Amino acid sequence: MRPVWEEKPGVAGQVAKGTVLTAVVLVVVVPLWVALVTSLSSRATINAAGGLVVVPRGIDVSAYRIIFSGGQISQALWISTLVTVVGTLVSLLVTIPAAYGLSRPGSVGHRGLLFFFLLTFLVYPGLVPSYLVVTGVGLKDSLWALILPSAINVFNFVVVRAFFQGLPSELLDSARVDGAGEFRILWRIVLPLSKAVVAVVGLFYAVGYWNVWFSALLYIDDNEKFPIQRVLQTFILAGQTPQTSGTAVGTALPPTLAIKMAVVVVTVAPIAAVYPFVQRHFTRGVILGAVKG
């Protein structure tokens, strides 16, 4: 709703705003549409279009059969799902207690720990020290190398901490008077009131883990442990042909371009499907927490 002091935009302003928003939507939607249509196109349709297909001419789901019938792509989807689920749980289990502890004034080591967290906003250790630490503790070629180095994001920590600081202190004090400990207060009182910020931060973590590829490029050498983003990068940039299961492929293979676009669609679809369910929490979870920080 427009504030009472804000003037109603004129016709030119409305037209300009509508034009800009339409252009932004087209920039986002058109590439996704082309990838989806191309992934569902037959070899004849792709050859007739000379590459990417814009106008659909029939539906051919053979590329998706290849993806979900076994082989490197199916394995990469499983790896990405595992890393996303486990990584998001680990990150939330680390971020929420840390944010709650440092949101309470007078907690043990409050200033020193908070300074340690916030210092990472200004100082980054660098790629080489990070690589040496990860390989030095034995995480090379392990899926934990995709999770533990990014287990906590300082921005998400600050947002959650600011949200916890905005909760009424009288509510927490009354629970302490009734004999509740800090962990009980966190579990029974704070978390039920913080579903919005937890959902938003959880989505941030999930998107980060689902899109991980640079860490996989650094730490994962085994092709069987590649996440879907690393496989996609290999297919699109390196021009390699997807490795599929021989028993499921048969004799008629779909075009390589259709398989690549199908991998793109499968990569984008999970996050795009989850986002609408979390969108309603964004204003309360992020903006409110950021303002109160």
Side-chain angles (χ1 to χ4, degrees), residues 32-82:
L32 296 178
W33 169 257
V34 172
L36 177 62
V37 172
T38 304
S39 69
L40 294 173
S41 298
S42 62
R43 184 181 299 275
T45 303
I46 293 178
N47 291 337
L52 297 174
V53 181
V54 179
V55 180
R57 298 178 182 177
I59 297 178
D60 185 355
V61 297
S62 58
Y64 291 93
R65 290 197 188 101
I66 292 295
I67 290 178
F68 294 109
S69 63
Q72 187 179 14
I73 301 176
S74 299
Q75 180 69 15
L77 286 172
W78 161 246
I79 293 296
S80 290
T81 303
L82 179 64

Side-chain angles (χ1 to χ4, degrees), residues 46 53 94 145 167 277:
I46 293 178
V53 181
V94 174
L167 297 177
F277 298 98

